Amino acid sequence: MELNRRNFVKLLVGGVVGIQLTPLPWKLTDDTAIWTQNWPWVPVPPAGAFSSVNSVCRLCPGGCGIEVRKVDQRAVKIEGRTDYPVNPGGICPVGMGGLQLLYDEDVRFTRPMKRVGPRGAGQFQDISWDEALSVLSARISTLRDQGKAAALAAVDGHFTGSSMSALIERLMKAIGSPNHVRVPSMEDTYSMTSMLMLGSQGPMAYDLENADYVLSFGSGLLEGWGGPGRVIDAWRILREKALKGKAKVVQIESRASNTASKADQWVAVRPGTEAALALGIAHILIKEGLFHTKFIQGHTFGFEDWRSSDGRNHMGFKTLVMDQYGPAQVEQITGLKDSEIVSLALGFAKAKAPVALSGKGKGTLNGSLYEFMSIMALNALSGNINQPGGVVVSEPLPLDKLPEFELDAVASKSITTPRLDGAGGAAYPFSKGLIDNLATAVNASSVSPVDTLLVFSSNPAFTLPDGRNFYKALKKIPFIVSFSPFRDETANMADLVLPDHTYLEKMDDVVWPAALQYPLYGLSQPVAHPLYDTRHSGEFILQLAAKMGGAVKDSFPWESYEEVLKTRARGLFESGPGLVRYDGKVPVWESVGKNIPVKADYKNFDEMWKGLKSNGLWFRPSHSFGNWEKLFKTPTGKFEFYSTQVELAVYKSKGKASGESALEKMAVQARGDEALMPHYEKPVAQDPTKVYPLRLVPYEMINLASSWIPSPPFLQKTWFNNQLRKNESFAEINPKTASEYGLKEGDRVQIKSPSGEVGARLTLFEGAMPGFVYMPLGLGHTAYDEFLKGKGVNPNRIVHAGRDPLSGHPVWWNTPIRITKV
Ligand code: SF4
């Protein structure tokens, strides 16, 4: 086949259809090919030699193996690798479009620049890397000289546990600032749930492929949750089993998403009431004695009522659930009939390997902590914790820590300054970073407490569900440095733009792909020489530290970023045998629990490193299931229904009054023992009011990027006419609700919340829950190129978040709104 532009796009999209990795209707394939005839930056390979390079996609935490085909030096196609265990042969639409993010100069920054126009206007002037280094190091040195090192803050969007995150954290510490803030995601809520109930610092993982009953509380299995390359393949396996009556997927979600529509059963509950449903199911399991007695009696804490050493009687989880979450009570909260709750519980109990999943949509944004804990309690009742087909509990990936280093006097003094976001403090004892609070701290002060903000791999001005709180803060911060490769909304506000390479031009890691049930370390490698005058942010940090000199310089004893990666990877070698090759013959999920000893396919560290670099992976296809005696690292050594860590945080100082005040600070409504166990907390804005009678729920799509990565332009042709038409976004509304308000299909409306308003058209959708309005995340950019800028609206602009109790993260799934026809 002649490889012209049209065939190139057909090949990309056709590849997806062929491997059935997505249920999306790709009927517009040919249109897309025709439509792209005029794109100057779609690869037009000259005659030349074909070759391919293996790498790892880093556009999401899914960590798929990719093969990039090249003609001479030009990358022309991205495919999924069959010799990579995560995503057997498949990739998602965003991953397929990655080349467009490499070649499109309108989407990327091509060299370092400084701002010359008004902030936000996107007017920049080229500068050299040397000048950029001098400007930034001088600014930070001045802050340190003035004793204001803590006025440096960093927003970090790199993947959890990544080497880049470790390096950024180290830089901030060496300078003397505690204000390293990660962009929130589902991982934050997972990590808190895991730590409180399992005592685990390891990743939250699910053995989906071996499950036979998947009870998903809003996890978008077909929308991009948990690493689409792997999860959609798991979906295929579950479908095959379902056809033989051996598996079932139940989707609990208020909207008929793609996942809900294709699941065996769709159960619609009011958004934000999922915890109550999980506890309602728990009620039936306990009432009917349908729980795993051995696990509950032998390996859990706080199930039955109990008495503490100080002689106080405590309510157990069983009493809580039996008293407060009967089917009739849960029906009131969720809107689900009591018979349906009973039927869900019986289905879950009957299964041999049931698993309950938490995590809304793709998991790009955080979840609700008590909700996740309630869902985890269901897994505990089924005994499917660290069992095949259930929740997999592991130690973190055995990477070496970067060596300790000495702080100089300046850093030692300022590092103890309280964090601006309050994370880890009395109100948010379990959160590691709360970016929204950082923005609020800036907005609440007459002079911004942040002088200089470094922004890595993130676009908080667009992605945060905060009603533009962060965007407003950016206007007040004196100096902003963006390391984004992309011309995104946050970068446009920057004073200094120091563009990173794109993921196809650099080496970097993916530490344990999201939700995967076995340890895997992915390593991308450059598939092309950097096209422009960009620089790896890891290299820049090393150069910045060197330029600053003294103890800061001494804290970074590496010549290159690759050396940093290598330092950490040594821990993999020392942890025992692993593999750096995968032949694709036996899927790892089939063998992972069989306790087959792993024989390393390398003899020494250098061999391992070489294999890791060329194949992009190190993994250990084995897991020790069961092991309940030693599994839980909670203070009680058991799975905790009653969290002794929350208890400690709440009752640090003695007395009922101090406990109540601590709970109030944490925005927890419950009191006493209930507050320390999984329970349902009614969202503050749950009930309709006269002014705001409806509720807005943003949703995510697999073919629309909603994180800091822009959507590759070719995805645009896969969006439906009632999602985006020309420049207008659509909001979904149930026909019944529309008729109550005298609205019809296609009407133009203003959607107003306490945080602002946006315009959209309406589309009537039977799959939308009455009383709720649904809008996709990922549209409404004010930056990037002609394919994204000005297309639709971003619902984050009007999200009126509120705080999730205990975690302090935003509640973004329940914004009060009203709509008016215009
Ligand atoms: S699922 Fe994530 S890692 Fe895999 S191809 Fe898509 S964007 Fe890349």
Side-chain angles (χ1 to χ4, degrees):
M1 182 175 74
E2 188 195 354
L3 193 53
N4 57 25
R5 286 179 212 162
R6 183 170 174 179
N7 283 337
F8 169 76
V9 176
K10 286 168 83 171
L11 208 62
L12 284 179
V13 180
V16 171
V17 175
I19 54 182
Q20 295 186 335
L21 261 190
T22 171
L24 289 168
W26 293 94
K27 65 186 174 56
L28 298 173
T29 299
D30 199 50
D31 283 359
T32 309
I34 294 164
W35 183 62
T36 59
Q37 292 299 303
N38 296 323
W39 294 349
W41 37 265
V42 169
V44 187
F50 274 93
S51 63
S52 64
V53 184
N54 286 340
S55 188
V56 175
C57 178
R58 297 183 59 265
L59 292 178
C60 87
C64 295
I66 53 171
E67 179 183 341
V68 181
R69 299 188 68 193
K70 295 173 74 173
V71 177
D72 283 343
Q73 286 311 306
R74 194 164 175 85
V76 296
K77 187 186 176 202
I78 300 177
E79 293 178 313
R81 282 169 60 184
T82 50
D83 64 345
Y84 205 84
V86 175
N87 56 308
I91 49 171
C92 79
V94 175
M96 273 195 310
L99 288 180
Q100 297 185 329
L101 305 182
L102 172 70
Y103 290 119
D104 185 358
E105 279 187 31
D106 294 336
V107 157
R108 295 186 60 171
F109 286 111
T110 54
R111 54 188 60 85
M113 291 193 279
K114 66 179 179 192
R115 177 166 69 88
V116 287
R119 174 162 283 180
Q123 291 165 12
F124 298 102
Q125 189 179 68
D126 296 355
I127 55 170
S128 69
W129 280 102
D130 282 348
E131 188 185 344
L133 259 178
S134 300
V135 168
L136 187 54
S137 66
R139 190 160 187 111
I140 296 173
S141 296
T142 306
L143 285 179
R144 278 168 51 84
D145 293 345
Q146 295 171 341
K148 293 184 187 163
L152 176 75
V155 172
D156 175 8
H158 286 282
F159 301 142
T160 312
S162 64
S163 296
M164 271 307 299
S165 255
L167 218 56
I168 295 166
E169 197 174 0
R170 190 178 183 91
L171 177 72
M172 297 300 286
K173 197 171 164 193
I175 289 168
S177 173
N179 294 310
H180 170 229
V181 184
R182 291 188 47 77
V183 175
S185 76
M186 173 176 74
E187 293 296 331
D188 295 86
T189 323
Y190 277 161
S191 114
M192 286 185 260
T193 308
S194 214
M195 201 252 299
L196 294 178
M197 300 185 90
L198 310 167
S200 168
Q201 306 275 347
M204 185 69 84
Y206 300 99
D207 189 19
L208 282 182
E209 293 84 344
N210 291 306
D212 63 0
Y213 192 99
V214 177
L215 189 57
S216 155
F217 287 80
S219 305
L221 301 178
L222 296 178
E223 274 79 27
W225 175 89
R230 177 248 173 160
V231 171
I232 295 175
D233 191 54
W235 179 275
R236 173 188 63 77
I237 293 158
L238 287 163
R239 296 316 311 145
E240 281 172 14
K241 287 203 275 187
L243 287 173
K244 296 176 194 154
K246 291 184 175 168
K248 185 170 182 178
V249 178
V250 179
Q251 183 71 0
I252 296 159
E253 194 173 357
S254 68
R255 172 179 172 270
S257 65
N258 218 354
T259 307
S261 312
K262 291 179 171 61
D264 298 290
Q265 190 181 349
W266 167 41
V267 178
V269 298
R270 293 186 187 114
T273 65
E274 291 85 353
L277 177 58
L279 297 168
I281 294 172
H283 175 103
I284 305 296
L285 298 181
I286 295 170
K287 186 176 162 202
E288 302 298 330
L290 295 171
F291 58 88
H292 199 294
T293 322
K294 187 177 162 207
F295 180 73
I296 296 298
Q297 288 179 353
H299 305 282
T300 65
F301 176 74
F303 182 71
E304 300 284 356
D305 295 349
W306 56 291
R307 178 178 290 215
S308 50
S309 55
D310 59 5
R312 280 190 303 136
N313 290 323
H314 293 269
M315 173 171 63
F317 180 71
K318 180 174 153 189
T319 301
L320 170 71
V321 164
M322 294 316 288
D323 285 356
Q324 297 188 27
Y325 297 96
Q329 292 153 300
V330 173
E331 179 178 341
Q332 286 289 317
I333 301 168
T334 61
L336 198 65
K337 283 201 188 103
D338 60 359
S339 55
E340 289 177 279
I341 300 165
V342 173
S343 146
L344 280 175
L346 297 181
F348 193 72
K350 218 170 64 187
K352 287 199 186 92
V355 66
L357 308 179
S358 50
K360 297 173 191 298
K362 286 183 188 178
T364 312
L365 300 171
N366 62 285
S368 160
L369 182 51
Y370 281 126
E371 177 187 314
F372 278 36
M373 288 170 72
S374 303
I375 294 164
M376 184 57 80
L378 269 187
N379 285 311
L381 287 172
S382 75
N384 217 5
I385 303 273
N386 211 38
Q387 292 290 319
V391 176
V392 180
V393 186
S394 308
E395 292 292 322
L397 203 70
L399 293 165
D400 262 358
K401 284 206 171 99
L402 297 180
E404 293 296 327
F405 60 99
E406 298 256 323
L407 297 185
D408 61 14
V410 174
S412 301
K413 195 169 167 211
S414 60
I415 198 75
T416 54
T417 315
R419 289 175 64 97
L420 286 167
D421 64 357
Y428 316 100
F430 305 110
S431 298
K432 294 196 176 131
L434 291 160
I435 192 169
D436 205 30
N437 284 1
L438 180 80
T440 302
V442 171
N443 289 330
S445 309
S446 52
V447 177
S448 168
V450 176
D451 171 84
T452 300
L453 181 73
L454 313 178
V455 185
F456 295 91
S457 281
S458 57
N459 182 14
F462 179 82
T463 60
L464 292 183
D466 64 354
R468 306 206 94 195
N469 195 28
F470 196 87
Y471 175 76
K472 286 174 204 149
L474 285 178
K475 288 184 171 174
K476 282 183 75 176
I477 294 173
F479 198 72
I480 300 164
V481 185
S482 169
F483 292 84
S484 176
F486 303 117
R487 293 177 177 270
D488 57 53
E489 283 81 358
T490 310
N492 275 349
M493 300 288 282
D495 298 271
L496 205 52
V497 176
L498 308 176
D500 199 350
H501 300 322
T502 64
Y503 75 112
L504 293 171
E505 299 164 302
K506 66 175 188 174
M507 182 184 283
D508 216 341
D509 55 9
V510 178
V511 176
W512 205 311
L516 195 68
Q517 68 271 62
Y518 53 90
L520 187 141
Y521 180 73
L523 192 65
S524 69
Q525 65 163 315
V527 301
H529 290 301
L531 293 185
Y532 305 106
D533 186 16
T534 54
R535 188 168 288 187
H536 196 307
S537 297
E539 301 289 353
F540 186 87
I541 287 176
L542 300 182
Q543 289 154 9
L544 180 66
K547 181 100 183 161
M548 293 191 66
V552 178
K553 179 183 176 197
D554 296 343
S555 314
F556 292 83
W558 302 280
E559 290 291 321
S560 67
Y561 182 64
E562 183 172 340
E563 270 189 33
V564 178
L565 293 167
K566 217 169 156 179
T567 302
R568 296 186 88 208
R570 197 167 279 279
L572 300 175
F573 177 75
E574 282 157 8
S575 71
L579 302 174
V580 290
R581 280 169 209 84
Y582 172 68
D583 62 14
K585 284 187 190 144
V586 183
V588 179
W589 61 267
E590 272 185 30
S591 62
V592 75
K594 292 189 179 151
N595 255 334
I596 303 167
V598 177
K599 196 164 173 300
D601 57 2
Y602 45 81
K603 291 195 187 69
N604 50 45
F605 176 71
D606 287 342
E607 241 181 61
M608 184 199 100
W609 180 248
K610 207 170 146 202
L612 172 54
K613 268 177 76 175
S614 59
N615 296 314
L617 86 160
W618 175 97
F619 71 115
R620 184 173 289 142
S622 125
H623 180 76
S624 171
F625 283 112
N627 194 25
W628 289 334
E629 288 75 19
K630 295 185 182 155
L631 193 65
F632 305 111
K633 306 283 189 309
T634 53
T636 58
K638 296 187 171 182
F639 176 95
E640 291 194 356
F641 284 107
Y642 179 101
S643 174
T644 53
Q645 293 173 84
V646 178
E647 181 187 42
L648 194 67
V650 171
Y651 296 106
K652 253 186 200 153
S653 44
K654 298 259 178 256
K656 194 172 169 219
S658 72
E660 290 203 355
S661 121
L663 288 168
E664 204 173 311
K665 275 191 199 143
M666 295 173 194
V668 177
Q669 296 160 33
R671 290 291 178 266
D673 291 336
E674 185 185 358
L676 315 179
M677 292 190 279
H679 66 277
Y680 167 68
E681 294 253 329
K682 188 173 173 177
V684 178
Q686 176 92 334
D687 295 330
T689 61
K690 260 193 182 160
V691 182
Y692 297 113
L694 300 170
R695 293 293 172 269
L696 172 75
V697 184
Y699 70 91
E700 292 181 290
M701 292 154 49
I702 196 168
N703 54 335
L704 174 58
S706 46
S707 68
W708 77 287
I709 302 288
S711 277
F714 98 88
L715 291 187
Q716 208 177 107
K717 267 292 174 181
T718 69
W719 305 334
F720 288 113
N721 260 348
N722 61 357
Q723 288 169 328
L724 179 79
R725 195 181 305 162
K726 293 196 173 155
N727 290 342
E728 288 182 301
S729 273
F730 281 72
E732 292 174 352
I733 189 168
N734 188 282
K736 231 171 94 190
T737 311
S739 116
E740 273 171 39
Y741 290 86
L743 300 164
K744 56 183 191 321
E745 176 75 28
D747 275 352
R748 284 201 172 91
V749 292
Q750 279 299 109
I751 303 175
K752 186 167 171 47
S753 82
S755 288
E757 59 187 313
V758 293
R761 276 181 181 254
L762 282 186
T763 184
L764 308 194
F765 181 38
E766 291 284 356
M769 181 170 272
F772 293 86
V773 174
Y774 298 83
M775 293 187 81
L777 286 166
L779 296 174
H781 281 288
T782 54
Y784 299 119
D785 64 357
E786 60 179 311
F787 297 104
L788 285 175
K789 191 173 178 174
K791 303 284 181 190
V793 294
N794 178 7
N796 284 333
R797 291 173 72 108
I798 59 165
V799 165
H800 189 67
R803 271 167 62 191
D804 180 50
L806 198 59
S807 78
H809 283 289
V811 172
W812 50 268
W813 47 89
N814 216 320
T815 291
I817 54 160
R818 66 169 177 268
I819 48 182
T820 322
K821 193 170 164 181
V822 291

